[in-house]
């Protein structure tokens, strides 16, 4: 049962959060938080730590997706559409039972899921966490979206041989192993997208001030890596993309769409009270390396009233899945499921991010 404020939240969908004046981009809340069916079979703390999601295929009208948690070293699959949300209890083992992978990002291409640890030190106190320095690739069945398994139930094709520090620029490599926040400039992966045959990783830290003449905000970093360990070598290292964001914000998740990557933006490691927004990065591989990248702002994302009774503690959007993308005349509509760390099972809210043509 949802508490009264959440009931009001649902009742006001579509009107309370619309911009007061027309704009070329806006975000409309369509529904949610969706009621959960099924069971992750996880303790409550882990259920409240969903931090990455990627959807591979559609089966019987529902997107089959892999979700990861920043507690422990397990993943799960879900089935979701605009009105239904089913979670599955079958464990996808990502490592030793006592390890802390701190999984923060999930991506999917036509054959594999990818799960990335944060590659960050622990926050409080600042301690090295070797378990977070991992990128795992899992093959899935294209007919079902479920990970392929052997007859004994173990994952059939799990690749754990990536070392993404090999493709980092010198500056970013120097941030690995430092404490989070601008004082130390620690390294922290929070988002990942599979786009145009490559993996793109978005950082929450470090960020930098935008020192250009037009700069009034901050720079968030995105770097690339290949989709197999043999492609993740120092010979393939390139300078990162520099993404212009509002001051105090950084990348919290990413999702690929035709022609670009959607960015879920939220607080960096110093500004916990900064809000969230969504932006579209129209990727131009060559031009975007020459100067800081200007993205298209799709609007603020305010889910502060989405918290439900009993299990939920706080609303921190950290996962974004694309359900559909379609054109309505000169308007592009991205229907998204937004998942929050701090809410049981991610508490997905369905939104439309709407972009009018230039």
């Amino acid at each position: 049962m949802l508490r009264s404020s959440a009931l009001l939240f649902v009742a006001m969908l579509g009107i309370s959060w619309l911009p007061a004046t027309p704009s070329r981009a806006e975000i409309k809340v369509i529904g949610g938080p969706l009621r959960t069916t099924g069971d992750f079979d996880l303790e409550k703390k882990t259920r409240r730590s969903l931090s990455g999601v990627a959807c591979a295929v559609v089966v019987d009208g529902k997107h089959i997706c892999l979700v990861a948690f920043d507690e422990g070293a397990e993943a799960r699959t879900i089935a979701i559409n605009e009105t239904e949300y089913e979670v599955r209890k079958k464990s996808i083992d990502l490592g030793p039972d006592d390890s802390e992978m701190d999984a923060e990002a999930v991506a999917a291409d036509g054959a594999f899921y990818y799960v990335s640890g944060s590659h960050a030190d622990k926050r409080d106190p600042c301690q090295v966490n070797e378990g977070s320095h991992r990128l795992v690739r899992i093959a899935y069945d294209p007919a079902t979206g479920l990970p392929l398994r052997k007859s004994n139930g173990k994952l059939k094709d799990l690749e754990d041989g990536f070392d993404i520090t090999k493709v980092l620029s010198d500056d970013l490599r120097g941030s690995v192993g430092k404490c989070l926040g601008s004082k130390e400039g620690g390294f922290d992966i929070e988002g990942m997208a599979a786009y145009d045959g490559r993996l793109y990783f978005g950082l929450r830290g470090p960020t930098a001030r935008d020192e250009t003449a037009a700069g009034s905000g901050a720079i968030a970093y995105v770097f690339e890596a290949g989709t197999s360990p043999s492609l993740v070598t120092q010979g393939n290292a390139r300078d990162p993309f520099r993404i212009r964001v509002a001051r105090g914000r950084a990348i919290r998740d990413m999702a690929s769409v035709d022609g670009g990557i959607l960015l879920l933006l939220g607080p960096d490691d110093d500004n916990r009270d900064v809000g969230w927004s969504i932006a579209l990065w129209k990727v131009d591989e060559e031009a975007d390396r020459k100067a800081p990248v200007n993205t298209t702002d799709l609007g603020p994302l305010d889910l502060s009233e989405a918290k439900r009774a009993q299990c939920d503690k706080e609303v921190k959007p950290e996962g974004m899945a694309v359900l559909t993308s379609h054109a309505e005349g000169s308007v592009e509509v991205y229907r998204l499921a937004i998942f929050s760390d701090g809410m049981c099972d991610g508490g997905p809210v369905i939104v439309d991010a709407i972009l009018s043509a230039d």
Side-chain angles (χ1 to χ4, degrees):
M1 179 67 70
L2 302 180
R3 70 181 188 184
S4 59
S5 63
L7 287 171
L8 177 61
F9 161 78
V10 174
M12 296 295 287
L13 292 178
I15 55 175
S16 60
W17 294 349
L18 297 185
T21 57
S23 63
R24 63 181 299 274
E26 61 180 348
I27 295 175
K28 294 182 180 180
V29 179
I30 304 302
L34 298 184
R35 190 181 302 276
T36 304
T37 62
D39 182 7
F40 276 144
D41 191 27
L42 295 166
E43 64 177 17
K44 189 175 289 186
K45 181 180 180 182
T46 305
R47 287 178 59 201
R48 285 197 296 254
S49 70
L50 196 157
S51 55
V53 57
C55 302
V57 300
V58 178
V59 178
D60 296 330
K62 293 183 181 179
H63 295 261
I64 308 302
C65 319
L66 187 78
V67 297
F69 309 87
D70 62 19
E71 299 282 343
E74 291 183 84
R76 294 289 190 274
T77 56
I78 64 170
I80 188 170
N81 59 26
E82 290 87 345
T83 58
E84 299 175 284
Y85 178 42
E86 176 192 352
V87 304
R88 280 87 180 267
K89 67 170 58 178
K90 190 166 188 177
S91 174
I92 300 166
D93 188 4
L94 300 177
D97 292 340
D98 60 349
S99 67
E100 182 66 55
M101 185 174 176
D102 191 23
E104 291 286 357
V106 184
D109 60 18
F112 299 99
Y113 291 113
Y114 304 84
V115 182
S116 179
S118 66
H119 289 67
D121 286 2
K122 293 184 177 181
R123 293 181 182 275
D124 189 18
C126 177
Q127 294 179 338
V128 173
N129 178 19
E130 292 294 342
S132 74
H133 292 240
R134 297 174 60 210
L135 171 63
V136 176
R137 187 184 72 184
I138 305 165
Y140 68 83
D141 182 343
T144 66
L146 302 179
L148 293 172
R149 296 181 184 267
K150 302 175 185 177
S151 58
N152 63 2
K154 299 291 186 180
L155 293 175
K156 185 175 182 179
D157 186 353
L158 186 147
E159 175 59 67
D160 197 12
F162 293 85
D163 180 0
I164 62 175
T165 62
K166 292 181 178 179
V167 297
L168 297 178
S169 64
D170 290 343
D171 288 346
L172 291 183
R173 189 180 299 114
S175 292
V176 177
K178 292 184 177 180
C179 301
L180 299 176
S182 60
K183 185 176 180 180
E184 295 289 337
F187 186 86
D188 181 15
I189 293 172
E190 290 278 336
M192 176 172 54
Y195 179 77
D196 197 24
R198 306 274 290 169
L199 295 175
Y200 286 66
F201 297 82
L203 301 187
R204 182 176 179 180
T207 57
R209 293 194 65 171
D210 188 350
E211 303 289 355
T212 64
S216 61
I219 296 294
Y221 295 101
V222 172
F223 70 94
E224 288 178 276
T227 57
S228 69
S230 64
L231 299 174
V232 183
T233 66
Q234 291 180 343
N236 291 324
R238 305 186 70 180
D239 289 336
F241 297 99
R242 295 165 292 157
I243 310 296
R244 281 197 172 107
V245 298
R247 187 165 297 170
R249 285 184 178 166
I251 295 170
R252 304 306 294 268
D253 202 11
M254 310 168 70
S256 59
V257 294
D258 287 344
I261 298 174
L262 292 175
L263 305 176
L264 176 62
L265 305 175
D268 63 19
D269 282 303
D270 295 321
N271 299 276
R272 300 298 178 89
D273 295 329
V274 172
W276 278 261
S277 65
I278 298 174
L280 172 62
W281 173 21
K282 297 179 180 179
V283 179
D284 185 325
E285 177 77 21
E286 182 177 352
D288 290 348
R289 292 192 185 278
K290 298 177 181 178
V293 176
N294 291 311
T295 62
T296 301
D297 181 19
L298 301 183
L301 179 68
D302 182 3
L303 303 183
S304 57
E305 295 300 318
K307 189 167 66 173
R308 304 161 297 185
Q310 298 179 336
C311 189
D312 297 344
K313 290 188 67 175
E314 56 185 328
V315 183
K316 296 187 298 179
E318 292 205 1
M320 176 172 60
V322 179
L323 301 184
T324 61
S325 173
H326 66 278
E328 297 178 0
S330 63
V331 176
E332 188 73 24
V333 180
Y334 303 101
R335 180 151 292 183
L336 312 172
I338 305 295
F339 296 77
S340 288
D341 187 2
M343 298 176 69
C344 268
D345 309 324
V349 174
I350 309 302
V351 306
D352 277 351
I354 304 168
L355 176 64
S356 298
D358 292 335

